[in-house]
Amino acid sequence: MKKLILFLLLLIPILVSADEIPGGLSSYPYISTGTSVDSVLIKTGQARLFCIDVQNSDAAPIYLKFYNKATAPTVGTDAVVYLKGVPATDGDIICLPKEAPKLFPLGMGIGITTSSASNSTAAVGAGDVTLTIKKK
């Protein structure tokens, strides 16, 4: 019996995708590129944001800007629908209630800047920001 249980425990990682989080959420990891304002389309079509795990190694605060878009956002021009600041050399884990995730009917895009102003295009440095978005 112990051998069967051990075999089943070893089989579990093969059956579960590394990108899938228990509960049906998928994980989207990202590291800032430093070549632009890090405009990224996370998901096309309806999306729900549940958690953000972000680390900022920059000496300045950074701002995650979320957009309701079916294409990659134009940071500095498109309307920001959710904004989260992260202090310099700090990190944060933001989890929204399962019953009330942030909704993105068209799709979920992000931009990362060093200013909270919606028209800012101040880019962060390469590798200064690492984040993992948990979405559905």
Side-chain angles (χ1 to χ4, degrees):
M1 183 66 157
K2 288 182 182 178
K3 288 182 180 181
L4 176 61
I5 292 172
L6 180 60
F7 173 76
L8 292 174
L9 289 174
L10 293 173
L11 185 62
I12 288 173
I14 297 169
L15 299 175
V16 178
S17 167
D19 291 342
E20 290 301 313
I21 305 299
L25 300 180
S26 61
S27 179
Y28 186 96
Y30 185 76
I31 300 173
S32 61
T33 63
T35 57
S36 66
V37 288
D38 288 289
S39 170
V40 180
L41 179 63
I42 303 292
K43 183 180 179 193
T44 302
Q46 183 177 352
R48 293 176 281 170
L49 173 64
F50 287 90
C51 283
I52 309 162
D53 181 352
V54 60
Q55 299 298 314
N56 175 19
S57 63
D58 193 56
I62 60 100
Y63 297 88
L64 300 176
K65 299 175 180 183
F66 286 82
Y67 302 85
N68 179 30
K69 299 256 315 181
T71 59
T74 303
V75 178
T77 302
D78 289 333
V80 176
V81 297
Y82 183 64
L83 176 71
K84 177 60 186 161
V86 180
T89 63
D90 200 359
D92 202 356
I93 297 175
I94 304 106
C95 287
L96 304 170
K98 273 180 25 177
E99 306 78 34
K102 182 68 181 162
L103 302 177
F104 299 84
L106 300 176
M108 183 190 306
I110 62 163
I112 307 171
T113 65
T114 57
S115 171
S116 63
S118 60
N119 64 348
S120 174
T121 57
V124 298
D128 284 352
V129 178
T130 58
L131 64 103
T132 300
I133 295 172
K134 297 194 174 104
K135 61 172 177 60
K136 196 165 196 173

